[in-house]
Amino acid sequence: MRHLSTRGPGGSELSVGRPSLGTMTLTVQTDQPAAAPDGDAPQADEPQAPRRPSLSPSRAADFKTCPLLYRFRTIDRLPERKSLAAVRGTLVHSVLERLYDLPAAQRTVEAAQELLEPAWAELREEPGVADLFAVAQEDGAETSPSAPESVEAWLLSAGKLVEKYFSLEDPTRIQPEGREQLVEVTLPDGLLLRGFVDRLDVAPNGALRVVDYKTGAVPREAFEGKALFQMKFYALVLWRTRGVVAAQLKLLYLKDGDALTYAPDEDELIRFERTLTAIWAAIERAVATGDFRPNKTRLCDWCDHQAFCPAWGGTPPPFPTEAAAAAGWQTLPIVEID
């Protein structure tokens, strides 16, 4: 396995041959009640605390990429099309999560492949998933060129990604502390950071390893920083909640069978926290004024919202002031001038 990057700015490096990872229960404390994840409603028997805006790695990346995209996804909550690649990623993540429900000795390639069908049976019940597969309406009709020949062929491609995972790690030697684990913390300035970690490993000596599964290709060196943004976010939250800097951030790229590893240090996390604080301040200004500027880039080719984007001749819907206020945002009154 090729490691593209192993050292943080301070030169720290995760030692090889360290003890096998042990089992603990992840408990993350915050100094204020946690908000429900975006789109999740509190249970009927739970006290309904006021919602608070929060920052996640994906939403921070959205705002950095295009402030208007952030608005469309987070405030307007405009619908977006599902893609076969994204759904396949969800399926593979589900299989790898369930793999660690098995006793260590049973975590084999064959067992992982057997988990595909039940995971798919659940996933295909979600709205829009079944519609991704083109179905001939009449004899001789062609399927979409972007669709696989069959669901079976698509599942086979997911199975290959699952199999590739075993070339990167030996799951019989790993006992994760957390999987699909919510981590969150409120910073001293009141900013709530929250996200879900694919896997968290803790060594007997307390060293932390944060692992994320990627079903795409490993990024070129010039884009490593962007790929690590999400992982530094998790490392910051864990440092703030546990007082321990993660020994290793590990991205596993299943398509290529390669890994990107990184060891941050405390000074870097302090700088990264300042970066997130600056992003949040910019988001708050945009929400207060309703002014979210589009940023036209090559990534626009994959955006579902061009019809509403001024950069593409579209007109955004009216700013949803009431929805923003209900979500806990502070907005300025909008004055209409005749």
Side-chain angles (χ1 to χ4, degrees):
M1 178 171 58
R2 180 169 59 95
H3 294 274
L4 302 181
S5 176
T6 56
R7 294 182 182 272
S12 57
E13 182 172 347
L14 187 71
S15 60
V16 297
R18 71 187 205 181
S20 60
L21 298 169
T23 306
M24 296 175 61
T25 300
L26 178 63
T27 302
V28 179
Q29 300 292 336
T30 62
D31 54 2
Q32 295 191 35
D38 286 347
D40 289 352
Q43 299 298 318
D45 57 348
E46 294 179 351
Q48 296 191 16
R51 288 189 61 186
R52 295 177 53 205
S54 62
L55 190 64
S56 68
S58 56
R59 296 293 82 85
D62 284 346
F63 192 84
K64 288 179 61 181
T65 300
C66 174
L68 187 57
L69 175 64
Y70 174 92
R71 180 201 142 171
F72 287 159
R73 283 180 167 169
T74 307
I75 302 176
D76 295 85
R77 297 181 181 274
L78 297 182
E80 295 185 342
R81 295 168 297 177
K82 296 181 182 294
S83 71
L84 288 171
V87 173
R88 180 169 50 213
T90 300
L91 176 61
V92 171
H93 275 72
S94 178
V95 168
L96 294 181
E97 180 185 3
R98 297 176 190 211
L99 178 66
Y100 284 96
D101 287 332
L102 301 175
Q106 297 180 24
R107 297 171 194 160
T108 63
V109 175
E110 294 75 20
Q113 297 290 357
E114 291 177 359
L115 293 172
L116 272 169
E117 184 55 41
W120 169 237
E122 294 181 12
L123 185 58
R124 67 187 173 204
E125 296 300 320
E126 294 186 7
V129 171
D131 297 336
L132 289 171
F133 296 93
V135 178
Q137 299 299 314
E138 56 185 17
D139 291 342
E142 296 182 357
T143 60
S144 167
S146 62
E149 293 181 359
S150 64
V151 175
E152 289 74 20
W154 180 82
L155 284 173
L156 181 61
S157 69
K160 290 180 179 178
L161 294 173
V162 171
E163 182 178 359
K164 184 69 71 172
Y165 166 71
F166 287 81
S167 70
L168 295 170
E169 291 186 319
D170 180 359
T172 66
R173 301 179 62 184
I174 299 171
Q175 191 58 43
E177 180 184 286
R179 290 165 290 145
E180 290 297 320
Q181 180 67 56
L182 171 65
V183 294
E184 57 182 5
V185 69
T186 301
L187 299 181
D189 64 358
L191 171 56
L192 174 61
L193 303 178
R194 60 198 328 270
F196 286 86
V197 177
D198 283 351
R199 201 182 81 219
L200 180 64
D201 302 333
V202 181
N205 64 0
L208 302 180
R209 177 169 64 193
V210 184
V211 180
D212 195 73
Y213 308 121
K214 300 294 184 184
T215 52
V218 67
R220 297 192 299 272
E221 185 175 353
F223 297 96
E224 284 184 20
K226 185 175 181 180
L228 286 168
F229 181 92
Q230 172 188 13
M231 305 301 282
K232 291 180 183 179
F233 187 104
Y234 298 144
L236 172 61
V237 174
L238 291 168
W239 174 53
R240 282 299 190 184
T241 54
R242 295 183 175 225
V244 177
V245 176
Q248 187 183 76
L249 310 178
K250 189 174 186 180
L251 289 153
L252 300 179
Y253 289 90
L254 305 181
K255 181 178 180 180
D256 297 332
D258 213 333
L260 171 60
T261 62
Y262 191 77
D265 61 27
E266 187 171 309
D267 289 340
E268 182 177 16
L269 294 182
I270 291 173
R271 293 192 299 270
F272 188 74
E273 182 175 307
R274 294 191 188 118
T275 297
L276 294 181
T277 300
I279 292 173
W280 188 248
I283 291 173
E284 289 187 314
R285 286 193 298 270
V287 171
T289 61
D291 185 11
F292 289 83
R293 304 292 175 89
N295 180 33
K296 192 172 183 179
T297 68
R298 293 180 61 184
L299 296 176
C300 295
D301 293 341
W302 290 272
C303 183
D304 286 332
H305 311 304
Q306 289 187 12
F308 299 109
C309 181
W312 293 88
T315 301
F319 186 77
T321 306
E322 293 184 1
W329 290 104
Q330 298 296 319
T331 59
L332 297 178
I334 299 177
V335 179
E336 295 185 359
I337 302 176
D338 293 332

